[in-house]
């Protein structure tokens, strides 16, 4: 793997594989994205670097890395979308304060604080495991009949 000089800032390209995005979208969201150009959905994604392009020292090209969305959860309610939009705005304000953007906005600087209320109403890992056990028990009971 090539080493970057301190001044180098690689260009980031999105890999075309988007299976995790598609799997996270509801049928209605997929149709809406197609039928209503400009429609916005909010999602939490994990990006994983997959390939890079290094350049010879005497080339005048920036290094490049391709990333792929490897995990994705899309907001399926207005409440979830609002929480993700709040978190995004808080993170954006943080970048402004860090000097990445020009203007400083109002509000909290902890994006996770915007999600605390919404995540409190979502199932816990233990609740999910219990739900899966109940489903499996129902399947077994139907199989026995």
């Amino acid at each position: 793997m090539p080493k970057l000089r301190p001044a180098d800032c690689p260009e980031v390209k999105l890999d075309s594989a988007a299976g995790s995005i598609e799997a996270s979208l509801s049928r209605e969201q997929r149709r809406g994205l197609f039928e209503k150009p400009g429609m916005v959905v909010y999602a939490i994604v994990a990006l994983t670097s997959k390939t890079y392009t290094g350049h010879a020292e005497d080339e005048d090209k920036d290094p490049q890395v391709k990333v792929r969305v490897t995990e994705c959860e899309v907001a399926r309610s207005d409440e979830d979308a609002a929480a993700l939009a709040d978190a995004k705005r808080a993170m954006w304000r943080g970048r402004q304060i860090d000097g990445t953007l020009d203007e400083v906005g109002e509000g909290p600087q902890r994006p996770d604080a915007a999600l605390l209320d919404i995540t409190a109403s979502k199932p816990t890992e233990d609740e999910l495991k219990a739900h899966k056990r109940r489903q499996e028990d129902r399947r077994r009971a139907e199989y026995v009949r």
Side-chain angles (χ1 to χ4, degrees):
M1 178 144 330
K3 295 286 182 198
L4 296 173
R5 295 175 300 214
D8 288 341
C9 186
E11 180 181 3
V12 177
K13 300 261 184 170
L14 188 60
D15 185 79
S16 62
S20 62
I21 295 172
E22 186 175 355
S24 296
L25 291 164
S26 68
R27 183 176 191 275
E28 294 77 23
Q29 287 171 321
R30 291 180 197 196
R31 290 184 59 86
L33 288 166
F34 181 84
E35 294 172 345
K36 302 171 190 161
M39 178 181 165
V40 174
V41 293
Y42 285 90
I44 297 173
V45 299
L47 301 174
T48 303
S49 60
K50 291 296 180 179
T51 60
Y52 69 92
T53 304
H55 297 287
E57 297 246 348
D58 57 346
E59 280 234 22
D60 193 23
K61 290 185 178 178
D62 291 332
Q64 187 181 90
V65 62
K66 274 195 180 177
V67 297
R68 182 177 298 159
V69 176
T70 52
E71 296 177 46
C72 180
E73 282 302 323
V74 176
R76 292 185 177 235
S77 70
D78 290 343
E79 182 182 51
D80 288 354
L84 293 179
D86 285 347
K88 179 193 69 80
R89 283 189 292 274
M91 292 165 68
W92 182 75
R93 289 189 300 268
R95 288 196 309 133
Q96 287 178 322
I97 288 173
D98 291 343
T100 326
L101 299 173
D102 295 9
E103 300 173 8
V104 176
E106 299 288 325
Q109 296 305 311
R110 291 203 41 217
D112 58 332
L115 297 174
L116 292 178
D117 290 338
I118 193 73
T119 56
S121 67
K122 301 295 178 196
T124 64
E125 287 294 324
D126 289 339
E127 290 169 329
L128 176 61
K129 288 176 187 174
H131 171 74
K132 288 181 177 181
R133 277 194 301 274
R134 287 191 302 273
Q135 282 184 319
E136 186 60 31
D137 291 346
R138 277 195 295 271
R139 279 191 212 114
R140 284 188 192 134
E142 289 176 12
Y143 181 73
V144 172
R145 290 182 204 173

